[in-house]
Amino acid sequence: MLVTSRSAAEYRAMFDLTATDLAAGSVLDCCAGGSSFAAETGARVVAVDPAYAIGRRALAETVLSGLRDGDRIIDRNRERFEWGWYGTPERRAAARVDAAHRFLADLGERPGRYLAGALPHLPLADASFELVLCSHMLFTWANQLDADWHRAALAELVRVSRREVRVFPLVVQGTGEPVGFLDELRTGLAASGHRTEVRDVPYRFQRGAHAMLVVRTGRR
Ligand SMILES: C[S@@+](CC[C@H](N)C(=O)[O-])C[C@H]1O[C@@H](n2cnc3c(N)ncnc32)[C@H](O)[C@@H]1O
């Protein structure tokens, strides 16, 4: 699985984040990889990813090779992407390089906000973050991770959230196909007292990926 480096601008568009959302309290970026969301957004963001266990030097290599691998995949599959949001492939690539370097610099300066951890068992207390964001992990890898894994992972994201969980995108990487078990997962969340919504977002890149799942926890 690629460790990618999306920027805070990409996160704001993928999760339709407003200044109010970000001012409301602490934010968890789970499956943060090499994203600069925490570095750019500030102290209230904590980032979790299993890749943080490998140490800073190895992680730097992984993140920088992830940039090259990501560009190659996109180059080979151009018809699966639309460019209106980024403008051009070059602008997207440059934004990712910038995000990767911001991430690596912040990791060196503020290592305490980057925690090694993996779904579906996060090393975090119940209700410890106001808002939980999950970019390009759930649903993206539904060709490798089944409905049971997703059910457990979503339950874990809800457990650590006080108010809301947002997940983007809702389609499988590569094919862009919708995930067949999404409705079943929503029904299960509703039965546990959590409200869900599939909401369109302003971000556009992978064809078919234009909506996020919002889960409002039963705590509020
Ligand atoms: C495609 S990257 C997304 C990174 C970042 N969120 C972004 O949008 O650029 C997927 C990330 O999920 C992480 N990952 C893999 N298995 C995981 C698990 N079980 N729990 C949490 N994160 C996981 C990988 O290490 C990788 O960094």
Side-chain angles (χ1 to χ4, degrees):
M1 193 176 296
L2 273 186
V3 175
T4 50
S5 303
R6 291 181 175 81
S7 65
E10 289 168 297
Y11 268 57
R12 286 193 296 271
M14 292 186 301
F15 295 111
D16 201 13
L17 291 170
T18 62
T20 312
D21 290 327
L22 292 174
S26 54
V27 182
L28 176 67
D29 179 7
C30 180
C31 323
S35 168
S36 61
F37 177 69
E40 293 185 73
T41 307
R44 59 167 44 103
V45 181
V46 168
V48 169
D49 198 289
Y52 300 160
I54 66 177
R56 195 163 155 247
R57 184 172 297 181
L59 187 55
E61 279 169 26
T62 302
V63 163
L64 297 176
S65 69
L67 292 172
R68 293 187 290 274
D69 294 343
D71 288 351
R72 235 175 273 131
I73 290 169
I74 285 158
D75 221 39
R76 276 196 229 114
N77 299 282
R78 279 189 180 226
E79 72 291 348
R80 292 185 175 157
F81 299 93
E82 45 185 300
W83 293 98
W85 193 83
Y86 288 104
T88 62
E90 292 71 27
R91 282 172 65 175
R92 176 202 155 276
R96 292 287 173 89
V97 170
D98 184 60
H101 287 291
R102 283 176 192 252
F103 161 74
L104 291 170
D106 200 50
L107 180 69
E109 286 160 25
R110 281 170 281 268
R113 70 155 66 146
Y114 296 93
L115 305 179
L119 288 168
H121 302 292
L122 299 177
L124 299 166
D126 292 357
S128 40
F129 293 89
E130 196 66 17
L131 176 63
V132 174
L133 304 175
C134 181
S135 151
H136 291 85
M137 173 66 213
L138 268 66
F139 307 120
T140 297
W141 303 97
N143 53 344
Q144 298 174 26
L145 298 162
D146 65 9
D148 286 343
W149 186 88
H150 279 78
R151 190 175 300 107
L154 265 178
E156 184 68 349
L157 294 173
V158 167
R159 181 185 70 77
V160 300
S161 165
R162 260 195 302 279
R163 179 175 55 92
E164 198 168 294
V165 176
R166 299 185 187 186
V167 183
F168 179 90
L170 306 180
V171 300
V172 183
Q173 56 95 22
T175 63
E177 290 295 319
V179 172
F181 51 74
L182 176 60
D183 286 347
E184 177 195 321
L185 295 183
R186 293 181 67 188
T187 303
L189 287 164
S192 305
H194 310 299
R195 284 181 297 141
T196 69
E197 176 194 356
V198 170
R199 195 199 303 170
D200 250 44
V201 298
Y203 181 72
R204 289 290 179 277
F205 189 40
Q206 185 184 7
R207 291 192 193 283
H210 49 74
M212 66 175 165
L213 174 67
V214 181
V215 183
R216 288 194 195 80
T217 71
R219 293 192 179 89
R220 287 267 170 108

